Amino acid sequence: MTPDEKQAYTELLEWQKQMQQPPSMLNRLARRVQARLNALLPERVHKAITATIKQMVRAVLFGSTYISPQPLTGKTLAARETSVRTRIRYYRNTAAAEGAVTGAAGFFLGLADFPLLLGIKLKLLFDIAALYGYDVKEYPERLYILHIFQLTFSSQHTRNEVYRRLADWENYRRTLPTDVNVFDWRTFQQEYRDYIDLAKLAQLLPIIGAAVGAVANYRLLVQLGETAMNCYRMRHFAKENSEIVPLSS
């Protein structure tokens, strides 16, 4: 390995340990509390939220295939990751500015931050996939992006499950349904909504909304970028040597 690859590999191993940690007592408590709160919502509300997020995500997923760059070829891992970090900084700053504007504008415009931020996150993932050399026009690659998104914004319990799928992606992808509607959209929306609720609710408050929106969006994009980089590093090192990364450990 080159020095850059060794550094990337070291960071990957540390990240893998974090992804495979069992839920802490605090994680389990928060999960139980959130489950009870979700149980208070009528079933029709859950169905409505699930349908809304499903349509929003699908619109971005399938719309972005027409505006995403072509897969980058013939580059080293270091060159790819230099470009990836540049894209993360761009989208991070864009999301922070968007959060500040919608947060400063008050309650109703603050609500608009949700779909706007969702679009920014998914577009970042499309760009990262292309920079690592993957064609996002392919259906399995779009589902891979969905799994990265879910891995980033989920409780530790769900994160463990999603990580195992991504770590063994080449085998798991053979079991994927041909219909994206089969994807577990309800779990997807509940985990995402539960994860960002506290961070984003304060954005709707007057005076502090702009600052909260900027900081929350900034951190969420950084977290998403780091997760995506490590997911694609797993695939890179698995191709280089199928025994080098403990994919299923």
Side-chain angles (χ1 to χ4, degrees):
M1 287 190 217
T2 66
D4 288 324
E5 286 179 321
K6 289 180 180 178
Q7 178 64 31
Y9 181 60
T10 299
E11 292 175 3
L12 170 61
L13 292 180
E14 183 59 33
W15 175 82
Q16 285 183 306
K17 291 178 183 177
Q18 295 174 11
M19 292 301 102
Q20 297 176 90
Q21 288 178 353
S24 66
M25 183 180 297
L26 184 60
N27 291 150
R28 293 192 294 270
L29 177 61
R31 184 177 176 84
R32 286 197 295 269
V33 171
Q34 197 65 56
R36 291 178 180 177
L37 292 175
N38 285 329
L40 297 177
L41 291 177
E43 180 62 22
R44 65 178 182 277
V45 174
H46 281 296
K47 289 182 178 179
I49 296 174
T50 298
T52 300
I53 292 182
K54 174 182 175 181
Q55 294 308 317
M56 286 168 53
V57 173
R58 288 190 63 190
V60 175
L61 276 178
F62 290 95
S64 294
T65 60
Y66 299 104
I67 59 176
S68 295
Q70 292 296 313
L72 186 63
T73 59
K75 297 293 184 180
T76 64
L77 178 65
R80 293 180 189 280
E81 296 205 332
T82 296
S83 298
V84 168
R85 290 188 177 94
T86 299
R87 297 309 290 166
I88 291 173
R89 285 195 296 269
Y90 170 77
Y91 282 104
R92 176 198 70 191
N93 295 339
T94 299
E98 180 271 321
V101 171
T102 54
F107 180 82
F108 291 105
L109 191 54
L111 293 176
D113 172 71
F114 187 85
L116 292 173
L117 182 60
L118 189 63
I120 292 172
K121 289 173 179 173
L122 290 172
K123 186 62 175 67
L124 169 62
L125 291 179
F126 270 83
D127 284 6
I128 290 177
L131 289 171
Y132 276 104
Y134 294 94
D135 188 353
V136 293
K137 291 184 175 65
E138 296 180 2
Y139 170 73
E141 294 305 326
R142 295 198 294 272
L143 281 186
Y144 191 77
I145 285 173
L146 269 184
H147 279 75
I148 293 175
F149 192 98
Q150 190 172 25
L151 181 68
T152 307
F153 305 116
S154 289
S155 64
Q156 189 63 35
H157 179 273
T158 300
R159 187 171 292 157
N160 292 158
E161 297 176 3
V162 177
Y163 169 79
R164 285 192 288 270
R165 295 176 203 158
L166 289 170
D168 193 31
W169 183 254
E170 293 308 312
N171 289 321
Y172 179 72
R173 68 186 294 171
R174 299 189 184 101
T175 69
L176 291 172
T178 56
D179 185 359
V180 72
N181 290 300
V182 180
F183 186 78
D184 187 357
W185 291 102
R186 175 141 178 177
T187 298
F188 180 88
Q189 67 86 7
Q190 280 191 347
E191 290 283 348
Y192 179 56
R193 182 165 49 86
D194 294 350
Y195 187 91
I196 68 170
D197 266 352
L198 293 178
K200 302 300 288 179
L201 280 177
Q203 185 177 338
L204 304 180
L205 299 175
I207 303 176
I208 67 169
V212 171
V215 172
N217 286 8
Y218 183 101
R219 290 180 176 175
L220 291 171
L221 264 292
V222 169
Q223 183 179 0
L224 181 62
E226 290 177 351
T227 301
M229 287 183 68
N230 282 299
C231 285
Y232 285 108
R233 283 170 174 173
M234 281 200 297
R235 297 177 77 177
H236 170 81
F237 288 114
K239 285 182 179 180
E240 292 293 313
N241 185 341
S242 60
E243 296 180 357
I244 198 168
V245 178
L247 293 178
S248 59
S249 65

